[in-house]
């Protein structure tokens, strides 16, 4: 009996040990490796030997490029003990990041035959882009998609060092001259899912194959080949293509069922850097954190140092202010806007009023005869939101159900209505989502409407004794005005990590985007959706990010000598802030005028970005000076920079002194803020630019000199801008916005400016 009690206690302790283990990312002093160890990996394993009986199993990843250190499975006591070592700079618990879940090329002007790249045509640009490789960190790839067809593609660039890994459901032969790499990274995910491979969830095969759809969608948006007659079940029919149709794609699967773990992301970034990618695209993110605690920012810094452009989604937490992700200045932070294409649908009520909405429903319609309309009926408190189990079949069978948007996925609400016997759904926005309409491929006839229309339909359903409705579907409509409009879901500034850096940087197309899809899952992503489609329409900053990744690849092809910051500058300073009605960009949340906290420098314009005239370039040393200005310890700066000899002897008085293509002026207790910027001439020799400033009445703006003369290509010129807050302006004054433009007959090099008197 005692032996049994003893073994039970031992088993209890063992369970405690297993359940208490977590993944930690350990930052090491790279240069401290003793000569007795042949590799850093050997040293890291040895560091774990004194802490755990199974160091080989505990060591998940060893990082050398994107980060100096390793990821290990440890309990909190072991992590604490490790942090006390002199060779350890920091020990951080693994972070979970989330995905920020065709007409685009034409809308962006990429189908034009000439004038795209000064002195060259589209064909020449496409040819140049064959040497550019885009690495996509996401949910993997569906390699059989026609978007990854390699017809007409030359041999893989000689610089490529990557590979396609083998898995039970993934043959390396699926890769070709278009899809040149596919890898997966799951140790962090598996550890979090219950202690490594032994406890791996059934069905989650370690493989680059995309079972979610998101990764295939983003990869094909960035660089998908031309595919004729593409559509989502008949919607958005036409030729689908990515931004850089001749660039190569490498897929790095770092996202799994429960999210994207920082340790896996860092491993994916490290491998992509070593493989030889030119552009990194990450449509994922978490909350904002100091850069030394931000896995993506740390990996992106190394990528930038090696000349790799990094594009990340800004997040889908708008229109709430200060909700941005991925705000490091060496990252391109991308918000979302609409296209000039829509998918109209209509709700016709019993009072004969027809309300406009949108839908991607493609099955049999309801017919023209109205049926009963139900809203918030029954005893369940969640029936207005159509939550699972909240609808009474006796009340909704054979009727259209009005559901409030929020809490659960939009398509999930339709499934709940269908399962309860409803024949249709009107999905009505609330104040949180405002007037923004996102079309979905619903499982039953369904129409999404904005808040104002939603309120009118709610009132009708409540007040009418026998309310009825019929739903009508209008297919695909082009040339929608106004467009683009800033998506309400697109995350907003100000930047809370570094308020002196204006974010987001730009917006790109991110609403109702058609791109390739995984055939392992239906278009709604719901388990009960048995439909299969080669293309899907999705919305999110996840969709806008790969647009910019693909455009960066085109600029890299046109200007291979440009740094990532020069490419970013070109995309920012040529962005536009007027829609197709020649009015200032609007915000879908409430129809009001947008501002740089929502749209950054504006909506990307690839034609102009290829020939921007001037660029704001930033060296690695300048970024280090910036980091030293943030009040971080030297060890924290070393975490990001990965150089042993950092002393921070040089720093800016104000982080806003970084040579950034936009300005974020934070007065705080000061009345005067002065910044000097440097412009590099990438246009013709003997170019003259004059400055124009635009700002609120509460701020005086002066620029010296007012004219810049560039005698040669590559010449650099400085200017100083002084911002003076008018006396008597309240510290609680609302933020204001303006711009600084250097222009001539050929180019307008525009920088947005935000003015804040206090942090928030």
């Amino acid at each position: 009996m005692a032996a049994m009690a003893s073994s039970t206690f031992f088993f209890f302790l063992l369970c405690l040990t297993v359940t208490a283990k977590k993944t930690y990312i350990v930052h090491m002093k790279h240069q401290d490796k003793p000569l007795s160890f042949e590799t850093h990996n050997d040293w890291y394993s040895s560091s774990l030997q004194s802490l755990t009986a199974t160091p080989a199993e505990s060591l998940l990843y060893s990082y050398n490029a994107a980060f100096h250190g390793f990821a290990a499975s440890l309990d909190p006591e072991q992590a604490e003990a490790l942090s006390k070592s002199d060779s350890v700079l920091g020990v951080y618990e693994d972070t979970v990041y989330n995905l920020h879940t065709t007409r685009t090329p034409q809308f962006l002007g990429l189908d034009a035959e000439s004038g795209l790249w000064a002195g060259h045509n589209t064909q020449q640009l496409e040819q140049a882009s064959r040497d550019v490789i885009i690495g996509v960190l996401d949910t993997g790839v569906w390699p059989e998609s026609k978007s990854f067809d390699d017809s007409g593609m030359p041999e893989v660039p000689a610089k490529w060092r990557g590979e396609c890994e083998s898995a039970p459901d993934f043959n390396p032969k699926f890769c070709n001259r278009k899809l040149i790499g596919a890898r997966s990274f799951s140790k962090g995910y598996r550890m979090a899912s219950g202690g490594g491979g032994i406890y791996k969830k059934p069905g989650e095969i370690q493989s680059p194959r995309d079972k979610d759809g998101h990764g295939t969608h983003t990869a094909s948006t960035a660089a998908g080949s031309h595919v004729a007659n593409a559509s989502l079940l008949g919607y958005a029919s036409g030729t689908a293509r990515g931004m850089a149709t001749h660039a190569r794609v490498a897929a790095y699967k770092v996202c799994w069922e429960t999210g994207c773990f920082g340790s896996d992301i860092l491993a994916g970034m490290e491998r992509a850097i070593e493989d030889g990618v030119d552009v990194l695209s990450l449509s994922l993110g978490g909350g904002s954190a100091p850069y030394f605690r931000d896995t993506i920012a740390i990996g992106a810094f190394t990528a930038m140092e090696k000349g790799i452009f990094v594009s990340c989604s800004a997040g889908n937490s708008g229109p709430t202010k200060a909700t941005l992700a991925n705000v490091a200045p060496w990252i391109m932070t991308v918000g979302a806007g609409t296209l000039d294409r829509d998918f109209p649908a209509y709700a016709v009520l019993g009072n004969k009023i027809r309300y406009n909405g949108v839908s991607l429903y493609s099955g049999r319609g309801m017919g023209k005869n109205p049926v009963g309309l139900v809203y918030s009926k029954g005893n369940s408190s969640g029936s207005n939101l159509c939550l699972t189990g909240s609808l009474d079949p006796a009340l909704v069978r054979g009727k259209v159900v009005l559901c409030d948007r929020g809490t659960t996925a939009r398509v999930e609400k339709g499934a709940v209505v269908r399962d309860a016997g409803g024949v249709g759904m009107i999905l009505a926005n609330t104040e949180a989502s405002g007037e923004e309409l996102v079309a979905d491929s619903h499982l039953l006839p369904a129409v999404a409407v904005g808040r104002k229309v939603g309120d009118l339909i709610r009132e009708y359903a409540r007040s009418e004794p026998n309310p009825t409705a019929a739903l009508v579907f209008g297919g695909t409509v082009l040339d929608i005005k106004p467009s683009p409009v800033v998506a309400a879901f697109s995350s907003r500034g100000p930047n809370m990590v570094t308020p002196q850096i204006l974010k987001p940087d730009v917006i790109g197309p991110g609403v109702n985007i058609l791109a390739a899809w995984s055939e392992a899952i239906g278009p709604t992503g719901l388990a009960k959706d048995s439909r299969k489609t080669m293309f899907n329409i999705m919305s999110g900053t996840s969709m806008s990010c790969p647009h910019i990744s693909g455009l960066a690849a085109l600029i890299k092809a046109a200007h291979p000598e440009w740094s990532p910051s020069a490419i970013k500058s070109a995309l920012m300073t040529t962005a536009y802030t007027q829609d197709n009605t020649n009015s200032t960009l609007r915000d879908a949340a409430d129809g009001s005028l947008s501002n740089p906290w929502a749209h950054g420098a504006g909506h990307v314009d690839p034609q102009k970005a290829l020939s921007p005239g001037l660029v704001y370039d930033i060296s690695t040393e300048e970024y280090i000076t910036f980091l030293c200005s943030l009040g971080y310890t030297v060890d924290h700066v070393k975490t990001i920079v990965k150089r042993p000899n950092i002393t921070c002897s040089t720093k800016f008085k104000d982080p806003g002194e970084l040579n950034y293509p936009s300005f974020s002026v934070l007065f705080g207790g000061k009345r005067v803020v002065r910044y000097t910027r440097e412009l590099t001439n990438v246009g013709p020799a003997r170019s003259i630019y004059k400055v124009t400033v635009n700002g609120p009445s509460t701020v005086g703006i002066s620029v010296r000199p007012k004219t810049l003369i560039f005698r040669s290509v590559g010449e650099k010129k400085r200017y100083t801008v002084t911002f003076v807050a008018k006396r008597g302006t309240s510290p609680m004054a609302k933020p204001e916005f303006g711009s600084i433009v250097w222009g001539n007959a050929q180019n307008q090099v525009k920088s947005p400016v935000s003015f804040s008197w206090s942090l928030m």
Side-chain angles (χ1 to χ4, degrees):
M1 193 74 179
M4 186 181 288
S6 167
S7 62
T8 305
F9 179 65
F10 175 75
F11 181 72
F12 172 71
L13 279 179
L14 186 67
C15 288
L16 264 184
T17 308
V18 169
T19 52
K21 288 208 171 192
K22 295 176 180 174
T23 300
Y24 290 88
I25 296 175
V26 183
H27 180 215
M28 299 289 282
K29 291 180 181 172
H30 202 62
Q31 74 282 7
D32 278 13
K33 178 181 78 67
L35 293 172
S36 54
F37 295 107
E38 191 174 335
T39 67
H40 280 86
N41 191 68
D42 295 341
W43 180 37
Y44 301 154
S45 293
S46 173
S47 303
L48 291 171
Q49 260 171 355
S50 60
L51 297 173
T52 170
T54 55
E57 286 178 30
S58 295
L59 183 63
L60 303 180
Y61 294 112
S62 178
Y63 307 114
N64 289 302
F67 184 76
H68 286 165
F70 58 92
S73 162
L74 304 167
D75 62 39
E77 290 77 19
Q78 291 169 331
E80 176 68 24
L82 195 59
S83 69
K84 293 186 169 127
S85 165
D86 289 341
S87 295
V88 173
L89 286 169
V91 179
Y92 308 113
E93 197 175 319
D94 204 359
T95 309
V96 187
Y97 295 80
N98 297 301
L99 295 164
H100 291 150
T101 226
T102 259
R103 187 167 156 72
T104 326
Q106 199 175 330
F107 180 68
L108 289 170
L110 284 178
D111 284 346
E113 271 309 306
S114 61
L116 184 61
W117 171 25
H120 302 76
N121 60 27
T122 305
Q123 198 173 356
Q124 288 169 305
L125 181 61
E126 287 178 343
Q127 209 155 359
S129 68
R130 289 169 174 176
D131 288 334
V132 181
I133 302 163
I134 303 174
V136 182
L137 272 72
D138 212 296
T139 63
V141 67
W142 190 263
E144 295 88 350
S145 169
K146 289 181 182 176
S147 290
F148 306 117
D149 179 68
D150 67 350
S151 299
M153 295 282 288
E155 287 305 309
V156 174
K159 66 178 180 179
W160 179 242
R161 297 181 294 277
E163 64 177 39
C164 283
E165 69 181 46
S166 178
D169 63 354
F170 200 98
N171 189 324
K173 290 179 181 172
F174 289 148
C175 287
N176 55 25
R177 289 171 309 212
K178 177 66 174 177
L179 177 65
I180 64 173
R183 300 180 186 265
S184 66
F185 303 85
S186 62
K187 291 176 182 176
Y189 156 70
R190 278 157 49 211
M191 180 60 219
S193 300
I198 306 167
Y199 299 95
K200 192 168 63 176
K201 286 186 177 181
E204 274 283 277
I205 298 169
Q206 188 179 335
S207 158
R209 182 168 288 282
D210 182 12
K211 300 292 181 70
D212 177 276
H214 191 276
T216 301
H217 199 282
T218 55
S220 63
T221 298
S225 303
H226 289 265
V227 182
N229 303 315
S231 73
L232 166 61
L233 308 172
Y235 282 99
S237 184
T239 297
R241 53 156 287 186
M243 297 296 96
T245 53
H246 288 72
R248 319 296 179 133
V249 175
Y252 298 85
K253 184 172 180 177
V254 297
C255 297
W256 304 85
E257 273 183 350
T258 51
C260 321
F261 289 81
S263 53
D264 295 332
I265 294 168
L266 204 50
M269 293 181 89
E270 166 130 331
R271 178 51 66 187
I273 291 165
E274 291 173 343
D275 284 350
V277 303
D278 299 293
V279 175
L280 270 174
S281 188
L282 292 88
S283 290
L284 49 94
S288 57
Y291 304 128
F292 60 86
R293 292 298 311 274
D294 185 337
T295 305
I296 295 172
I298 292 167
F301 192 93
T302 302
M304 172 278 299
E305 241 186 319
K306 295 184 183 294
I308 300 166
F309 181 91
V310 184
S311 172
C312 294
S313 44
N316 297 341
S317 301
T320 307
K321 287 188 177 68
T323 50
L324 292 165
N326 302 316
V327 296
W330 49 90
I331 289 173
M332 185 70 149
T333 311
V334 186
T338 63
L339 287 173
D340 60 346
R341 175 181 66 195
D342 214 350
F343 307 103
Y346 311 96
V348 184
L349 304 187
N351 58 11
K352 305 299 185 214
I353 297 177
R354 186 176 89 157
Y355 291 110
N356 295 350
V358 296
S359 183
L360 291 169
Y361 174 70
S362 57
R364 286 182 57 193
M366 283 178 48
K368 292 183 180 175
N369 295 329
V371 299
L373 175 66
V374 177
Y375 176 60
S376 198
K377 291 278 193 212
N379 299 321
S380 173
S381 59
S383 64
N384 64 309
L385 288 161
C386 301
L387 304 181
T388 302
S390 68
L391 299 180
D392 182 348
L395 296 173
V396 306
R397 191 175 290 114
K399 295 178 180 174
V400 168
V401 180
L402 176 61
C403 303
D404 291 344
R405 183 172 164 183
T407 307
T408 55
R410 301 181 300 269
V411 289
E412 204 174 301
K413 295 175 189 290
V416 170
V417 171
R418 187 188 69 169
D419 292 350
V423 297
M425 173 179 73
I426 300 172
L427 181 65
N429 284 2
T430 60
E431 193 173 352
S433 41
E435 298 309 311
E436 175 172 68
L437 299 181
V438 179
D440 293 296
S441 181
H442 290 283
L443 292 170
L444 83 171
V447 176
V449 299
R451 182 186 65 84
K452 290 173 187 168
V453 166
D455 286 346
L456 293 170
I457 299 175
R458 289 181 190 98
E459 182 53 35
Y460 167 78
R462 286 193 195 103
S463 60
E464 185 69 26
N466 296 300
T468 62
L471 306 181
V472 182
F473 303 93
T476 305
V477 175
L478 304 178
D479 301 317
I480 296 295
K481 290 183 169 64
S483 64
V485 173
V486 180
F489 61 71
S490 190
S491 287
R492 309 303 165 93
N495 174 353
M496 297 307 284
V497 182
T498 318
Q500 297 87 347
I501 300 293
L502 180 57
K503 291 280 182 169
D505 291 313
V506 290
I507 59 168
V511 179
N512 299 334
I513 303 301
L514 179 79
W517 193 246
S518 166
E519 291 181 49
I521 195 163
T524 60
L526 297 175
K528 54 184 74 174
D529 187 353
S530 59
R531 297 172 297 176
K532 293 286 176 275
T533 176
M534 292 166 61
F535 291 86
N536 198 6
I537 291 171
M538 293 183 76
S539 297
T541 54
S542 272
M543 282 63 252
S544 51
C545 167
H547 279 90
I548 275 60
S549 307
L551 297 180
L554 290 178
I555 298 173
K556 181 95 175 173
H559 306 285
E561 74 286 2
W562 282 12
S563 69
S565 58
I567 295 172
K568 178 199 272 197
S569 174
L571 285 162
M572 287 175 67
T573 61
T574 58
Y576 60 86
T577 53
Q578 289 197 312
D579 61 29
N580 58 0
T581 68
N582 290 322
S583 301
T584 301
L585 292 177
R586 293 197 170 268
D587 190 329
D590 56 8
S592 65
L593 296 180
S594 178
N595 64 54
W597 280 0
H599 63 238
H603 193 287
V604 288
D605 184 334
Q607 291 199 26
K608 288 184 177 172
L610 283 159
S611 303
L614 305 172
V615 294
Y616 293 87
D617 212 348
I618 306 173
S619 67
T620 302
E621 278 61 37
E622 287 172 274
Y623 280 124
I624 295 170
T625 305
F626 162 81
L627 287 168
C628 288
S629 313
L630 301 180
Y632 293 173
T633 66
V634 171
D635 282 351
H636 285 154
V637 175
K638 284 180 181 176
T639 303
I640 304 157
V641 177
K642 299 165 281 287
R643 292 186 188 180
N645 56 351
I646 299 291
T647 61
C648 280
S649 56
T650 307
K651 55 181 76 173
F652 296 133
K653 288 184 190 149
D654 173 342
E657 289 178 35
L658 185 70
N659 198 41
Y660 212 67
S662 57
F663 295 84
S664 177
V665 179
L666 179 61
F667 287 112
K670 303 176 298 221
R671 277 194 58 231
V672 178
V673 174
R674 185 175 288 113
Y675 291 136
T676 296
R677 292 283 196 268
E678 183 179 74
L679 283 161
T680 304
N681 181 28
V682 294
R686 294 182 293 283
S687 293
I688 301 173
Y689 288 83
K690 292 186 181 300
V691 74
T692 309
V693 300
N694 176 32
S697 58
T698 48
V699 180
I701 307 171
S702 61
V703 178
R704 294 285 180 273
K706 294 188 181 303
T707 303
L708 294 177
I709 302 168
F710 296 90
R711 291 181 173 79
S712 59
V713 179
E715 186 178 356
K716 298 176 185 290
K717 290 279 184 184
R718 293 186 164 209
Y719 70 91
T720 298
V721 55
T722 305
F723 304 100
V724 182
K726 297 287 168 71
R727 288 188 191 281
T729 307
S730 165
M732 304 309 292
K734 66 181 179 62
E736 301 271 13
F737 303 92
S739 63
I740 294 172
V741 185
W742 289 96
N744 60 23
Q746 288 74 41
N747 294 96
Q748 298 291 306
V749 184
K750 185 176 181 180
S751 295
V753 187
S754 69
F755 302 98
S756 304
W757 281 260
S758 59
L759 260 177
M760 272 286 278

